Amino acid sequence: GESVGLHLPTLSVQEGDNSIINCAYSNSASDYFIWYKQESGKGPQFIIDIRSNMDKRQGQRVTVLLNKTVKHLSLQIAATQPGDSAVYFCAEKGRDDKIIFGKGTRLHILP
Amino acid sequence: EAGVAQSPRYKIIEKRQSVAFWCNPISGHATLYWYQQILGQGPKLLIQFQNNGVVDDSQLPKDRFSAERLKGVDSTLKIQPAKLEDSAVYLCASSLGRLDTEAFFGQGTRLTVV
């Protein structure tokens, strides 16, 4: 079975607020984690990644946090915009280059 | 840089018919993946190639699904015969093949089996 899962299937956030999407993983041997955004009718699009030897990485308006102790990953989106509406997936990658996806969280932006 | 190209975008077939999907990865990408994404779920890995060799096909239903990447570039995924439960989006992705590199996805082929 899949070793990556998400806590919430749907998240509703007010426009302008910060969004936090969480993910739990079970394979402690995973070396690399990726967050993808998928809009309707499109393939997953890379947002940000983090290696297992890091605990935080920042991008433009996005931050990924990795807690290896509890095998938890989160994606923070600052000042959420209507264009952020999508399904977000966390994925893990091991030394075999295999990328395994979780079930996804739908982010809904409230006006 | 051109992205991952997939065709067709949409396909409707009757059950027990055959169908094939084509993927052209990003130039220079050694690793190619095929995923199946059922509506409301995350992508499920079907098969992974490294150049023209299969790295992992443990989730591929081999009685009906086959895939090849003969020259280490383009790839085709075939279903024969199709079942109703094969209705899904089939995504192709490619990556450089190094640990700390992400995969880039095509737009997918939406298959409907009726």
Side-chain angles (χ1 to χ4, degrees):
Chain A
E2 295 174 344
S3 64
V4 177
L6 297 175
H7 296 308
L8 297 173
T10 305
L11 177 66
S12 295
V13 175
Q14 204 77 38
E15 182 178 349
D17 286 353
N18 297 336
S19 301
I20 300 176
I21 301 172
N22 296 303
C23 174
Y25 66 94
S26 58
N27 187 355
S28 57
S30 292
D31 291 313
Y32 178 65
F33 301 89
I34 312 164
W35 280 100
Y36 282 96
K37 172 185 180 184
Q38 189 174 28
E39 297 174 288
S40 181
K42 297 183 179 180
Q45 178 185 9
F46 171 85
I47 302 173
I48 191 168
D49 57 2
I50 189 167
R51 292 205 65 171
S52 59
N53 61 354
M54 303 169 67
D55 54 19
K56 181 179 179 178
R57 190 163 188 219
Q58 287 185 292
Q60 186 177 17
R61 281 204 308 122
V62 294
T63 301
V64 55
L65 299 178
L66 175 63
N67 186 330
K68 293 180 288 293
T69 303
V70 295
K71 297 179 185 173
H72 183 267
L73 198 65
S74 70
L75 175 70
Q76 299 178 3
I77 304 174
T80 310
Q81 303 169 356
D84 295 328
S85 288
V87 177
Y88 290 81
F89 295 96
C90 67
E92 61 179 313
K93 192 179 188 186
R95 294 189 182 278
D96 56 5
D97 216 25
K98 188 161 61 174
I99 299 176
I100 302 299
F101 282 76
K103 291 181 175 60
T105 294
R106 179 173 298 280
L107 180 62
H108 177 60
I109 311 304
L110 302 169
Chain B
E1 179 183 83
V4 176
Q6 288 189 249
S7 67
R9 283 283 280 134
Y10 305 93
K11 190 74 177 178
I12 301 175
I13 61 172
E14 295 182 348
K15 59 184 179 184
R16 291 186 290 273
Q17 284 188 323
S18 303
V19 66
F21 312 126
W22 174 82
C23 173
N24 180 231
I26 293 173
S27 177
H29 280 195
T31 304
L32 185 147
Y33 310 84
W34 281 103
Y35 287 85
Q36 179 193 59
Q37 187 174 24
I38 293 172
L39 186 64
Q41 297 183 18
K44 170 189 166 185
L45 181 65
L46 293 176
I47 189 167
Q48 176 186 342
F49 292 94
Q50 181 77 12
N51 296 310
N52 61 348
V54 175
V55 174
D56 187 291
D57 63 356
S58 57
Q59 298 294 304
L60 188 73
K62 298 179 189 62
D63 58 333
R64 298 184 300 107
F65 286 64
S66 65
E68 59 184 13
R69 193 185 184 198
L70 291 175
K71 296 182 179 179
V73 182
D74 292 6
S75 177
T76 56
L77 176 70
K78 297 179 181 177
I79 307 175
Q80 179 179 13
K83 292 185 176 181
L84 296 176
E85 58 260 37
D86 297 332
S87 294
V89 174
Y90 291 85
L91 294 162
C92 179
S94 69
S95 77
L96 284 168
R98 296 197 311 262
L99 171 64
D100 56 349
T101 56
E102 73 274 25
F104 295 83
F105 283 80
Q107 293 209 70
T109 296
R110 180 176 294 280
L111 174 67
T112 303
V113 183
V114 298

Short mmCIF file of all heavy atoms in Angstrom, two decimals, chain B residues 46-97:
data_model
loop_
_atom_site.label_atom_id
_atom_site.label_comp_id
_atom_site.label_asym_id
_atom_site.label_seq_id
_atom_site.Cartn_x
_atom_site.Cartn_y
_atom_site.Cartn_z
N LEU B 46 2.40 2.91 -11.88
CA LEU B 46 2.22 1.65 -12.59
C LEU B 46 3.56 1.04 -12.96
O LEU B 46 3.80 -0.16 -12.76
CB LEU B 46 1.39 1.86 -13.86
CG LEU B 46 -0.07 2.25 -13.67
CD1 LEU B 46 -0.71 2.53 -15.03
CD2 LEU B 46 -0.83 1.16 -12.93
N ILE B 47 4.43 1.85 -13.55
CA ILE B 47 5.71 1.34 -14.01
C ILE B 47 6.72 2.48 -14.07
O ILE B 47 6.36 3.63 -14.32
CB ILE B 47 5.57 0.65 -15.40
CG1 ILE B 47 6.86 -0.07 -15.79
CG2 ILE B 47 5.14 1.64 -16.47
CD1 ILE B 47 6.67 -1.03 -16.98
N GLN B 48 7.97 2.13 -13.81
CA GLN B 48 9.07 3.08 -13.82
C GLN B 48 10.19 2.53 -14.68
O GLN B 48 10.61 1.38 -14.50
CB GLN B 48 9.56 3.31 -12.38
CG GLN B 48 10.77 4.20 -12.25
CD GLN B 48 11.30 4.26 -10.83
OE1 GLN B 48 10.60 3.91 -9.89
NE2 GLN B 48 12.53 4.70 -10.66
N PHE B 49 10.66 3.34 -15.63
CA PHE B 49 11.78 2.97 -16.48
C PHE B 49 13.01 3.80 -16.12
O PHE B 49 12.90 4.97 -15.79
CB PHE B 49 11.46 3.26 -17.96
CG PHE B 49 10.40 2.41 -18.57
CD1 PHE B 49 9.08 2.83 -18.60
CD2 PHE B 49 10.73 1.19 -19.16
CE1 PHE B 49 8.10 2.04 -19.20
CE2 PHE B 49 9.75 0.40 -19.75
CZ PHE B 49 8.44 0.83 -19.77
N GLN B 50 14.17 3.18 -16.22
CA GLN B 50 15.43 3.90 -16.16
C GLN B 50 16.07 3.63 -17.52
O GLN B 50 16.45 2.49 -17.83
CB GLN B 50 16.32 3.38 -15.03
CG GLN B 50 17.64 4.11 -14.91
CD GLN B 50 17.53 5.47 -14.25
OE1 GLN B 50 16.49 5.79 -13.68
NE2 GLN B 50 18.58 6.26 -14.31
N ASN B 51 16.15 4.69 -18.35
CA ASN B 51 16.51 4.53 -19.76
C ASN B 51 15.52 3.55 -20.39
O ASN B 51 14.34 3.78 -20.32
CB ASN B 51 17.97 4.12 -19.90
CG ASN B 51 18.88 5.22 -19.37
OD1 ASN B 51 18.74 6.39 -19.74
ND2 ASN B 51 19.79 4.87 -18.48
N ASN B 52 15.94 2.44 -20.96
CA ASN B 52 14.96 1.54 -21.57
C ASN B 52 14.71 0.30 -20.72
O ASN B 52 14.07 -0.65 -21.18
CB ASN B 52 15.37 1.17 -22.99
CG ASN B 52 16.71 0.45 -23.02
OD1 ASN B 52 17.42 0.43 -22.02
ND2 ASN B 52 17.04 -0.15 -24.14
N GLY B 53 15.19 0.29 -19.48
CA GLY B 53 15.00 -0.84 -18.60
C GLY B 53 13.94 -0.56 -17.56
O GLY B 53 13.79 0.56 -17.08
N VAL B 54 13.19 -1.62 -17.18
CA VAL B 54 12.14 -1.49 -16.17
C VAL B 54 12.77 -1.55 -14.77
O VAL B 54 13.49 -2.49 -14.45
CB VAL B 54 11.10 -2.60 -16.32
CG1 VAL B 54 10.07 -2.53 -15.17
CG2 VAL B 54 10.39 -2.50 -17.66
N VAL B 55 12.50 -0.53 -13.96
CA VAL B 55 12.99 -0.49 -12.58
C VAL B 55 11.96 -1.08 -11.63
O VAL B 55 12.30 -1.83 -10.72
CB VAL B 55 13.32 0.96 -12.17
CG1 VAL B 55 13.70 1.03 -10.69
CG2 VAL B 55 14.41 1.54 -13.05
N ASP B 56 10.69 -0.73 -11.87
CA ASP B 56 9.63 -1.21 -11.00
C ASP B 56 8.33 -1.32 -11.79
O ASP B 56 7.94 -0.35 -12.43
CB ASP B 56 9.43 -0.26 -9.81
CG ASP B 56 8.45 -0.79 -8.78
OD1 ASP B 56 7.25 -0.88 -9.09
OD2 ASP B 56 8.87 -1.13 -7.66
N ASP B 57 7.73 -2.47 -11.78
CA ASP B 57 6.40 -2.65 -12.39
C ASP B 57 5.51 -3.48 -11.47
O ASP B 57 4.61 -4.18 -11.93
CB ASP B 57 6.50 -3.27 -13.78
CG ASP B 57 7.09 -4.67 -13.76
OD1 ASP B 57 7.50 -5.13 -12.66
OD2 ASP B 57 7.17 -5.30 -14.82
N SER B 58 5.76 -3.37 -10.18
CA SER B 58 5.05 -4.20 -9.22
C SER B 58 3.55 -3.90 -9.15
O SER B 58 2.77 -4.75 -8.74
CB SER B 58 5.67 -4.04 -7.83
OG SER B 58 5.66 -2.68 -7.44
N GLN B 59 3.14 -2.68 -9.53
CA GLN B 59 1.73 -2.30 -9.48
C GLN B 59 1.06 -2.37 -10.85
O GLN B 59 -0.10 -1.96 -10.98
CB GLN B 59 1.59 -0.89 -8.90
CG GLN B 59 2.09 -0.76 -7.47
CD GLN B 59 1.24 -1.56 -6.52
OE1 GLN B 59 0.03 -1.39 -6.44
NE2 GLN B 59 1.88 -2.46 -5.77
N LEU B 60 1.75 -2.87 -11.83
CA LEU B 60 1.18 -2.96 -13.18
C LEU B 60 0.40 -4.27 -13.34
O LEU B 60 0.96 -5.35 -13.13
CB LEU B 60 2.31 -2.91 -14.22
CG LEU B 60 1.91 -2.80 -15.68
CD1 LEU B 60 1.40 -1.39 -15.98
CD2 LEU B 60 3.07 -3.15 -16.59
N PRO B 61 -0.89 -4.20 -13.68
CA PRO B 61 -1.68 -5.44 -13.89
C PRO B 61 -1.22 -6.11 -15.19
O PRO B 61 -1.75 -5.84 -16.27
CB PRO B 61 -3.12 -4.93 -13.98
CG PRO B 61 -3.09 -3.51 -13.49
CD PRO B 61 -1.71 -2.99 -13.80
N LYS B 62 -0.28 -6.98 -15.08
CA LYS B 62 0.41 -7.49 -16.27
C LYS B 62 -0.43 -8.39 -17.15
O LYS B 62 -0.05 -8.69 -18.29
CB LYS B 62 1.70 -8.20 -15.83
CG LYS B 62 2.70 -7.30 -15.11
CD LYS B 62 3.93 -8.07 -14.69
CE LYS B 62 4.81 -7.23 -13.80
NZ LYS B 62 4.17 -6.84 -12.52
N ASP B 63 -1.58 -8.82 -16.64
CA ASP B 63 -2.45 -9.64 -17.50
C ASP B 63 -3.12 -8.80 -18.58
O ASP B 63 -3.57 -9.33 -19.61
CB ASP B 63 -3.51 -10.34 -16.65
CG ASP B 63 -4.37 -9.37 -15.85
OD1 ASP B 63 -3.87 -8.27 -15.53
OD2 ASP B 63 -5.53 -9.71 -15.55
N ARG B 64 -3.15 -7.47 -18.38
CA ARG B 64 -3.83 -6.63 -19.35
C ARG B 64 -3.05 -5.37 -19.74
O ARG B 64 -3.31 -4.78 -20.76
CB ARG B 64 -5.20 -6.21 -18.82
CG ARG B 64 -6.14 -7.38 -18.57
CD ARG B 64 -7.52 -6.92 -18.13
NE ARG B 64 -7.47 -6.14 -16.90
CZ ARG B 64 -7.64 -4.83 -16.85
NH1 ARG B 64 -7.83 -4.14 -17.97
NH2 ARG B 64 -7.59 -4.19 -15.70
N PHE B 65 -2.12 -4.97 -18.90
CA PHE B 65 -1.33 -3.76 -19.15
C PHE B 65 0.08 -4.14 -19.60
O PHE B 65 0.67 -5.10 -19.07
CB PHE B 65 -1.21 -2.91 -17.88
CG PHE B 65 -2.45 -2.16 -17.48
CD1 PHE B 65 -3.61 -2.83 -17.11
CD2 PHE B 65 -2.46 -0.77 -17.46
CE1 PHE B 65 -4.75 -2.14 -16.72
CE2 PHE B 65 -3.59 -0.07 -17.07
CZ PHE B 65 -4.73 -0.75 -16.70
N SER B 66 0.59 -3.37 -20.55
CA SER B 66 1.99 -3.53 -20.94
C SER B 66 2.57 -2.15 -21.27
O SER B 66 1.83 -1.24 -21.64
CB SER B 66 2.13 -4.47 -22.13
OG SER B 66 1.50 -3.91 -23.28
N ALA B 67 3.86 -2.02 -21.12
CA ALA B 67 4.52 -0.76 -21.43
C ALA B 67 5.90 -1.04 -21.96
O ALA B 67 6.52 -2.04 -21.60
CB ALA B 67 4.59 0.13 -20.19
N GLU B 68 6.35 -0.14 -22.82
CA GLU B 68 7.69 -0.29 -23.34
C GLU B 68 8.34 1.07 -23.58
O GLU B 68 7.65 2.08 -23.76
CB GLU B 68 7.70 -1.11 -24.64
CG GLU B 68 6.86 -0.52 -25.76
CD GLU B 68 6.84 -1.44 -26.99
OE1 GLU B 68 7.26 -2.60 -26.89
OE2 GLU B 68 6.42 -0.96 -28.06
N ARG B 69 9.65 1.05 -23.57
CA ARG B 69 10.43 2.26 -23.83
C ARG B 69 11.67 1.78 -24.59
O ARG B 69 12.77 1.73 -24.07
CB ARG B 69 10.82 2.94 -22.51
CG ARG B 69 11.35 4.36 -22.70
CD ARG B 69 11.84 4.96 -21.40
NE ARG B 69 12.26 6.35 -21.60
CZ ARG B 69 13.04 7.02 -20.77
NH1 ARG B 69 13.50 6.45 -19.66
NH2 ARG B 69 13.36 8.27 -21.02
N LEU B 70 11.45 1.44 -25.83
CA LEU B 70 12.43 0.70 -26.59
C LEU B 70 13.78 1.41 -26.76
O LEU B 70 14.82 0.81 -26.64
CB LEU B 70 11.87 0.30 -27.95
CG LEU B 70 10.75 -0.75 -27.91
CD1 LEU B 70 10.17 -0.97 -29.28
CD2 LEU B 70 11.27 -2.04 -27.32
N LYS B 71 13.77 2.69 -27.07
CA LYS B 71 15.02 3.38 -27.34
C LYS B 71 15.42 4.31 -26.20
O LYS B 71 16.27 5.18 -26.37
CB LYS B 71 14.91 4.17 -28.64
CG LYS B 71 14.70 3.28 -29.86
CD LYS B 71 14.63 4.09 -31.15
CE LYS B 71 14.44 3.17 -32.35
NZ LYS B 71 14.33 3.95 -33.62
N GLY B 72 14.79 4.10 -25.05
CA GLY B 72 15.13 4.92 -23.90
C GLY B 72 14.62 6.33 -23.97
O GLY B 72 15.05 7.18 -23.20
N VAL B 73 13.67 6.60 -24.90
CA VAL B 73 13.12 7.94 -25.00
C VAL B 73 11.60 7.86 -24.85
O VAL B 73 11.09 7.83 -23.74
CB VAL B 73 13.52 8.61 -26.33
CG1 VAL B 73 12.97 10.03 -26.40
CG2 VAL B 73 15.03 8.63 -26.49
N ASP B 74 10.89 7.75 -25.99
CA ASP B 74 9.43 7.67 -25.96
C ASP B 74 8.99 6.37 -25.30
O ASP B 74 9.71 5.37 -25.28
CB ASP B 74 8.86 7.70 -27.38
CG ASP B 74 9.06 9.04 -28.05
OD1 ASP B 74 9.75 9.90 -27.46
OD2 ASP B 74 8.55 9.23 -29.16
N SER B 75 7.75 6.40 -24.81
CA SER B 75 7.18 5.21 -24.19
C SER B 75 5.72 5.07 -24.59
O SER B 75 5.04 6.07 -24.87
CB SER B 75 7.28 5.31 -22.66
OG SER B 75 6.67 4.20 -22.03
N THR B 76 5.25 3.84 -24.63
CA THR B 76 3.83 3.57 -24.85
C THR B 76 3.31 2.67 -23.74
O THR B 76 4.03 1.79 -23.25
CB THR B 76 3.57 2.88 -26.20
OG1 THR B 76 4.36 1.69 -26.27
CG2 THR B 76 3.93 3.78 -27.35
N LEU B 77 2.09 2.92 -23.35
CA LEU B 77 1.38 2.11 -22.37
C LEU B 77 0.13 1.55 -23.05
O LEU B 77 -0.60 2.31 -23.68
CB LEU B 77 0.98 2.96 -21.16
CG LEU B 77 0.13 2.28 -20.08
CD1 LEU B 77 0.96 1.24 -19.32
CD2 LEU B 77 -0.43 3.31 -19.09
N LYS B 78 -0.05 0.25 -22.97
CA LYS B 78 -1.19 -0.39 -23.64
C LYS B 78 -2.06 -1.13 -22.64
O LYS B 78 -1.55 -1.70 -21.66
CB LYS B 78 -0.69 -1.36 -24.71
CG LYS B 78 0.10 -0.71 -25.83
CD LYS B 78 0.59 -1.74 -26.84
CE LYS B 78 1.41 -1.08 -27.95
NZ LYS B 78 1.96 -2.07 -28.91
N ILE B 79 -3.35 -1.12 -22.92
CA ILE B 79 -4.29 -1.89 -22.13
C ILE B 79 -5.07 -2.79 -23.10
O ILE B 79 -5.62 -2.32 -24.09
CB ILE B 79 -5.30 -0.98 -21.38
CG1 ILE B 79 -4.56 0.07 -20.56
CG2 ILE B 79 -6.18 -1.83 -20.47
CD1 ILE B 79 -5.49 1.08 -19.87
N GLN B 80 -5.05 -4.09 -22.80
CA GLN B 80 -5.74 -5.03 -23.68
C GLN B 80 -6.08 -6.31 -22.92
O GLN B 80 -5.16 -7.03 -22.51
CB GLN B 80 -4.87 -5.38 -24.88
CG GLN B 80 -5.48 -6.36 -25.85
CD GLN B 80 -4.58 -6.66 -27.04
OE1 GLN B 80 -3.39 -6.34 -27.04
NE2 GLN B 80 -5.13 -7.31 -28.04
N PRO B 81 -7.35 -6.61 -22.66
CA PRO B 81 -8.53 -5.80 -22.97
C PRO B 81 -8.86 -4.86 -21.82
O PRO B 81 -8.53 -5.13 -20.67
CB PRO B 81 -9.62 -6.89 -23.09
CG PRO B 81 -9.19 -7.92 -22.09
CD PRO B 81 -7.67 -7.91 -22.10
N ALA B 82 -9.53 -3.76 -22.13
CA ALA B 82 -9.86 -2.78 -21.10
C ALA B 82 -11.07 -3.24 -20.28
O ALA B 82 -11.97 -3.92 -20.80
CB ALA B 82 -10.15 -1.43 -21.73
N LYS B 83 -11.08 -2.84 -19.02
CA LYS B 83 -12.21 -3.08 -18.12
C LYS B 83 -12.77 -1.72 -17.68
O LYS B 83 -12.08 -0.70 -17.77
CB LYS B 83 -11.76 -3.86 -16.89
CG LYS B 83 -11.34 -5.29 -17.17
CD LYS B 83 -11.05 -6.01 -15.87
CE LYS B 83 -10.73 -7.48 -16.11
NZ LYS B 83 -10.47 -8.20 -14.85
N LEU B 84 -13.98 -1.76 -17.17
CA LEU B 84 -14.62 -0.52 -16.72
C LEU B 84 -13.77 0.19 -15.67
O LEU B 84 -13.66 1.43 -15.67
CB LEU B 84 -16.01 -0.80 -16.16
CG LEU B 84 -17.05 -1.35 -17.13
CD1 LEU B 84 -18.35 -1.66 -16.38
CD2 LEU B 84 -17.31 -0.37 -18.26
N GLU B 85 -13.13 -0.59 -14.78
CA GLU B 85 -12.36 0.01 -13.69
C GLU B 85 -11.04 0.64 -14.16
O GLU B 85 -10.32 1.25 -13.36
CB GLU B 85 -12.07 -1.01 -12.58
CG GLU B 85 -11.31 -2.23 -13.06
CD GLU B 85 -12.22 -3.42 -13.30
OE1 GLU B 85 -13.36 -3.22 -13.77
OE2 GLU B 85 -11.77 -4.55 -13.00
N ASP B 86 -10.73 0.51 -15.45
CA ASP B 86 -9.53 1.16 -15.99
C ASP B 86 -9.78 2.63 -16.31
O ASP B 86 -8.84 3.35 -16.67
CB ASP B 86 -9.05 0.44 -17.26
CG ASP B 86 -8.65 -1.00 -17.00
OD1 ASP B 86 -8.23 -1.30 -15.85
OD2 ASP B 86 -8.76 -1.83 -17.92
N SER B 87 -11.02 3.07 -16.20
CA SER B 87 -11.34 4.49 -16.43
C SER B 87 -10.57 5.33 -15.44
O SER B 87 -10.73 5.19 -14.21
CB SER B 87 -12.84 4.73 -16.27
OG SER B 87 -13.57 4.06 -17.27
N ALA B 88 -9.73 6.21 -15.96
CA ALA B 88 -8.83 7.01 -15.12
C ALA B 88 -8.06 7.97 -16.02
O ALA B 88 -8.19 7.93 -17.24
CB ALA B 88 -7.84 6.10 -14.38
N VAL B 89 -7.26 8.81 -15.39
CA VAL B 89 -6.28 9.61 -16.13
C VAL B 89 -4.94 8.91 -16.04
O VAL B 89 -4.51 8.50 -14.94
CB VAL B 89 -6.17 11.04 -15.55
CG1 VAL B 89 -5.06 11.82 -16.24
CG2 VAL B 89 -7.51 11.78 -15.70
N TYR B 90 -4.30 8.74 -17.18
CA TYR B 90 -2.98 8.10 -17.21
C TYR B 90 -1.94 9.19 -17.42
O TYR B 90 -1.93 9.89 -18.42
CB TYR B 90 -2.95 7.01 -18.29
CG TYR B 90 -3.83 5.85 -17.88
CD1 TYR B 90 -5.19 5.87 -18.14
CD2 TYR B 90 -3.30 4.79 -17.15
CE1 TYR B 90 -6.01 4.85 -17.70
CE2 TYR B 90 -4.11 3.75 -16.72
CZ TYR B 90 -5.46 3.79 -16.99
OH TYR B 90 -6.28 2.78 -16.53
N LEU B 91 -1.09 9.31 -16.42
CA LEU B 91 -0.09 10.38 -16.39
C LEU B 91 1.30 9.81 -16.69
O LEU B 91 1.68 8.77 -16.14
CB LEU B 91 -0.05 11.04 -15.01
CG LEU B 91 -1.30 11.81 -14.59
CD1 LEU B 91 -1.31 12.03 -13.09
CD2 LEU B 91 -1.36 13.16 -15.31
N CYS B 92 2.02 10.50 -17.51
CA CYS B 92 3.42 10.17 -17.77
C CYS B 92 4.27 11.26 -17.12
O CYS B 92 3.90 12.45 -17.14
CB CYS B 92 3.69 10.10 -19.26
SG CYS B 92 5.40 9.72 -19.69
N ALA B 93 5.37 10.88 -16.55
CA ALA B 93 6.28 11.83 -15.93
C ALA B 93 7.71 11.42 -16.23
O ALA B 93 8.00 10.25 -16.50
CB ALA B 93 6.07 11.90 -14.42
N SER B 94 8.62 12.39 -16.16
CA SER B 94 10.03 12.06 -16.36
C SER B 94 10.89 12.87 -15.40
O SER B 94 10.49 13.93 -14.92
CB SER B 94 10.46 12.32 -17.81
OG SER B 94 10.47 13.71 -18.12
N SER B 95 12.07 12.34 -15.12
CA SER B 95 13.01 13.05 -14.26
C SER B 95 14.43 12.72 -14.70
O SER B 95 14.66 11.77 -15.44
CB SER B 95 12.80 12.68 -12.79
OG SER B 95 13.34 11.40 -12.52
N LEU B 96 15.37 13.51 -14.19
CA LEU B 96 16.77 13.31 -14.55
C LEU B 96 17.31 11.99 -14.01
O LEU B 96 18.30 11.47 -14.50
CB LEU B 96 17.61 14.47 -14.02
CG LEU B 96 17.50 15.77 -14.80
CD1 LEU B 96 18.15 16.92 -14.03
CD2 LEU B 96 18.15 15.62 -16.18
N GLY B 97 16.66 11.48 -12.95
CA GLY B 97 17.11 10.20 -12.41
C GLY B 97 18.02 10.34 -11.20
O GLY B 97 18.48 9.34 -10.67
#
